[in-house]
C-alpha cells in the first residue's frame, strides 16, 4: 500500500488524519525449547489463553493503542534481562536503583500495555492462583494484539518464570534507539541470538504504533548535525512532520504514526513505505538504505504472507531469550509490579 503521488495535498490529508496528540545463542534457544511448551498449563490452568483473550479483545475495542503499546512492552522486556516480566516491576519507594520501567529509554512506554497485563493477571489469579507468570501473560497478550490488529496468529510457548532483577542501568545498552545505524542494530540483535532476517521482520511491528517528535526531530531539521533534513526522507512527509513538530518548544505529547498509510492495521505497508522514503525513524529508513537489509525489505514489501510467517517465527524466537526457570532465578508474582 503506497501513498498517492499525484499531489502533496492528498498525502497531507492522509497524514494529518492520523497525526494526533496523545497523553500519555542458538544453543540456549535449543535448551529453552525443551523447557517451554505450548500446552505448559494444560492441566494447571487450561483456560489461560481464553482468559487472556477476554481482556485483550475488550481492551482492543476500547483503546486500540493497547496493541502497539503491549507489543513494544514485550520487546523491551525481552531485550533487557530476557523475557521475564522484569519490565513490569515498579521502583521501590526510596530505592537508589530505579527499575527497568523507569529508565530513560522506557519512559515513553504507554500505560495501556501495563494495564493490559494488570487486568489479565487479576483475572487469571482469580481462576488459577499462583500458577501463571506475568512473563507468560505478557507474551500471550502481545500475540493476541498482533492478531487483533490484523496480523498473524501463532502459538506461544509457555513456562517462563518472572525474573528477580529489574535495573534501569541495564536498559540503555540493550534497546535500539531511534537513530541507531543498521550496523548497531545488527550487533545488538545478534547479541540476543537473533539474525538479520529476524531483525528486519521484527522491525515490521512498526506497521502499527506511534513515535513522539523527539525521536525524529533531528532527522527533520538537523540530520547528522548538518542543519538540513535527512535526504532519505520524503519531502512531503518532512513538511507534514515539521508542521506538528517545531524545532524548539513543541508539544511533547505530539506523536506521528510509524506507518502513515495504515497506522492501525498490522500489514506489510511498513516495508513499502521504506521503499518510498517514508520510514519515520532513522533506524527504520536505514533498513532500505543498507545493502545487507535492502533486499529483505523489498521481499517483505511484495509478500504479506512471507512477512506474517517471518514475523511470527521471529517473535517465537525472541520470546525464548534468557527465559528464567525455577526458584533460583525466578518467581511467580501475584502482583506483576512487585517482587514476591
Amino acid at each position: 500500500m503506497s501513498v498517492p503521488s499525484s499531489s502533496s495535498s492528498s498525502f497531507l490529508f492522509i497524514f494529518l488524519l492520523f497525526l494526533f496528540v496523545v497523553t500519555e545463542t542458538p544453543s540456549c534457544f535449543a535448551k529453552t525449547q525443551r523447557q517451554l511448551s505450548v500446552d505448559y498449563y494444560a492441566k494447571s490452568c487450561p483456560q489461560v489463553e481464553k482468559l487472556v483473550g477476554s481482556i485483550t479483545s475488550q481492551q482492543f475495542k476500547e483503546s486500540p493503542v493497547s496493541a502497539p503499546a503491549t507489543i513494544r512492552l514485550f520487546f523491551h522486556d525481552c531485550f533487557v534481562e530476557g523475557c521475564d516480566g522484569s519490565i513490569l516491576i515498579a521502583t521501590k519507594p526510596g530505592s537508589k536503583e530505579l527499575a527497568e520501567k523507569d529508565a530513560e529509554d522506557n519512559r515513553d512506554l504507554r500505560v495501556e500495555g501495563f494495564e493490559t497485563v494488570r487486568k489479565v493477571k487479576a483475572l487469571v489469579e482469580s481462576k488459577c492462583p499462583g500458577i501463571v507468570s506475568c512473563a507468560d501473560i505478557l507474551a500471550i497478550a502481545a500475540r493476541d494484539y498482533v492478531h487483533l490488529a490484523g496480523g498473524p496468529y501463532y502459538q506461544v510457548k509457555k513456562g517462563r518464570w518472572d525474573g528477580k532483577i529489574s535495573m534501569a542501568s541495564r536498559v540503555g545498552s540493550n534497546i535500539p534507539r531511534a537513530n541507531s545505524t543498521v550496523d548497531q542494530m545488527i550487533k545488538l540483535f545478534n547479541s540476543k541470538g537473533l539474525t538479520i532476517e529476524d531483525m528486519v521482520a521484527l522491525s515490521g511491528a512498526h506497521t502499527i504504533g506511534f513515535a513522539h517528535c523527539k525521536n525524529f526531530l533531528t532527522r527533520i531539521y538537523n540530520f547528522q548535525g548538518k542543519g538540513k533534513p535527512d535526504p532519505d526522507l520524503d519531502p512531503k512527509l518532512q513538511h507534514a512532520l515539521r508542521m506538528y513538530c517545531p524545532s524548539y518548544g513543541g508539544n511533547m505529547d505530539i506523536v506521528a504514526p510509524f506507518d502513515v498509510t495504515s497506522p492501525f492495521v498490522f500489514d506489510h505497508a511498513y516495508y513499502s513505505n521504506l521503499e518510498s522514503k517514508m520510514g519515520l525513524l532513522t533506524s527504520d529508513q536505514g533498513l532500505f538504505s543498507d545493502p545487507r537489509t535492502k533486499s529483505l525489505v523489498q521481499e517483505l514489501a511484495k509478500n504479506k504472507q512471507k512477512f506474517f510467517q517471518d514475523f511470527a517465527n521471529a517473535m517465537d524466537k525472541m520470546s525464548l531469550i534468557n527465559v528464567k526457570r525455577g526458584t533460583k532465578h525466578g518467581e511467580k508474582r501475584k502482583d506483576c509490579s512487585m517482587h514476591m
Side-chain angles (χ1 to χ4, degrees):
M1 183 175 182
S2 59
V3 174
S5 58
S6 57
S7 70
S8 59
S9 59
S10 62
F11 173 86
L12 288 177
F13 175 77
I14 295 172
F15 182 81
L16 299 180
L17 188 63
F18 295 115
L19 194 68
F20 59 92
V21 177
V22 294
T23 53
E24 306 220 38
T25 61
S27 60
C28 73
F29 283 128
K31 184 178 180 181
T32 306
Q33 289 269 14
R34 294 193 296 269
Q35 295 173 332
L36 273 62
S37 65
V38 171
D39 58 355
Y40 184 83
Y41 296 112
K43 293 183 179 180
S44 59
C45 191
Q47 69 272 45
V48 62
E49 297 244 2
K50 191 171 293 186
L51 294 172
V52 177
S54 68
I55 299 295
T56 53
S57 59
Q58 186 63 32
Q59 285 289 105
F60 187 71
K61 290 177 184 176
E62 296 176 359
S63 181
V65 77
S66 296
T70 306
I71 296 166
R72 186 179 180 214
L73 186 63
F74 182 53
F75 178 88
H76 279 231
D77 183 42
C78 290
F79 265 55
V80 183
E81 301 295 338
C83 307
D84 63 354
S86 56
I87 188 71
L88 306 168
I89 290 288
T91 300
K92 291 182 180 179
S95 175
K96 293 182 180 180
E97 175 69 46
L98 296 177
E100 277 178 42
K101 68 180 293 187
D102 294 318
E104 184 65 33
D105 294 276
N106 284 333
R107 288 180 181 171
D108 283 344
L109 293 175
R110 292 185 56 88
V111 67
E112 288 86 352
F114 294 96
E115 273 295 287
T116 291
V117 177
R118 185 189 65 78
K119 290 180 179 181
V120 172
K121 183 61 173 176
L123 178 60
V124 172
E125 282 295 310
S126 71
K127 305 293 183 181
C128 314
I131 300 296
V132 184
S133 68
C134 301
D136 276 345
I137 286 173
L138 179 53
I140 298 169
R143 184 279 314 277
D144 281 3
Y145 280 129
V146 168
H147 188 57
L148 286 165
Y153 182 92
Y154 53 92
Q155 296 290 344
V156 174
K157 297 182 179 71
K158 297 170 280 289
R160 300 166 189 81
W161 285 48
D162 299 322
K164 296 180 178 181
I165 299 173
S166 182
M167 300 168 63
S169 59
R170 300 190 179 186
V171 173
S173 61
N174 285 293
I175 295 294
R177 300 181 183 278
N179 62 349
S180 289
T181 65
V182 172
D183 195 53
Q184 289 169 333
M185 291 195 295
I186 289 174
K187 289 178 180 177
L188 177 58
F189 277 72
N190 282 346
S191 74
K192 309 300 177 184
L194 299 171
T195 65
I196 293 180
E197 290 78 11
D198 296 327
M199 181 187 76
V200 174
L202 289 171
S203 296
H206 281 179
T207 185
I208 56 174
F210 304 81
H212 287 81
C213 291
K214 67 178 183 180
N215 291 304
F216 52 83
L217 206 59
T218 57
R219 189 172 182 227
I220 61 177
Y221 290 105
N222 189 25
F223 185 64
Q224 296 181 343
K226 297 179 180 179
K228 296 181 179 180
D230 183 356
D232 278 335
L233 177 63
D234 178 86
K236 295 186 293 294
L237 177 57
Q238 174 228 308
H239 178 72
L241 291 172
R242 282 187 170 188
M243 288 176 63
Y244 284 86
C245 302
S247 55
Y248 298 100
N251 187 334
M252 295 302 291
D253 289 330
I254 289 283
V255 297
F258 286 114
D259 173 4
V260 70
T261 57
S262 52
F264 295 104
V265 181
F266 200 101
D267 54 22
H268 65 319
Y270 167 81
Y271 300 101
S272 299
N273 291 341
L274 299 186
E275 292 180 315
S276 302
K277 294 188 174 183
M278 293 197 300
L280 183 62
L281 307 181
T282 301
S283 57
D284 290 320
Q285 194 58 49
L287 296 178
F288 188 68
S289 306
D290 194 289
R292 291 170 292 182
T293 51
K294 183 176 182 177
S295 62
L296 298 173
V297 170
Q298 292 172 319
E299 188 175 14
L300 297 183
K302 291 186 294 186
N303 194 330
K304 179 179 177 180
Q305 287 311 119
K306 178 167 175 51
F307 166 52
F308 278 14
Q309 181 179 355
D310 288 358
F311 183 82
N313 291 337
M315 283 290 278
D316 175 61
K317 194 172 176 181
M318 184 181 77
S319 77
L320 305 178
I321 296 174
N322 199 16
V323 167
K324 309 300 186 298
R325 297 279 298 163
T327 56
K328 182 178 180 180
H329 302 289
E331 58 188 7
K332 295 287 183 72
R333 295 198 289 274
K334 292 186 177 181
D335 181 339
C336 294
S337 67
M338 298 175 60
H339 287 298
M340 292 287 289

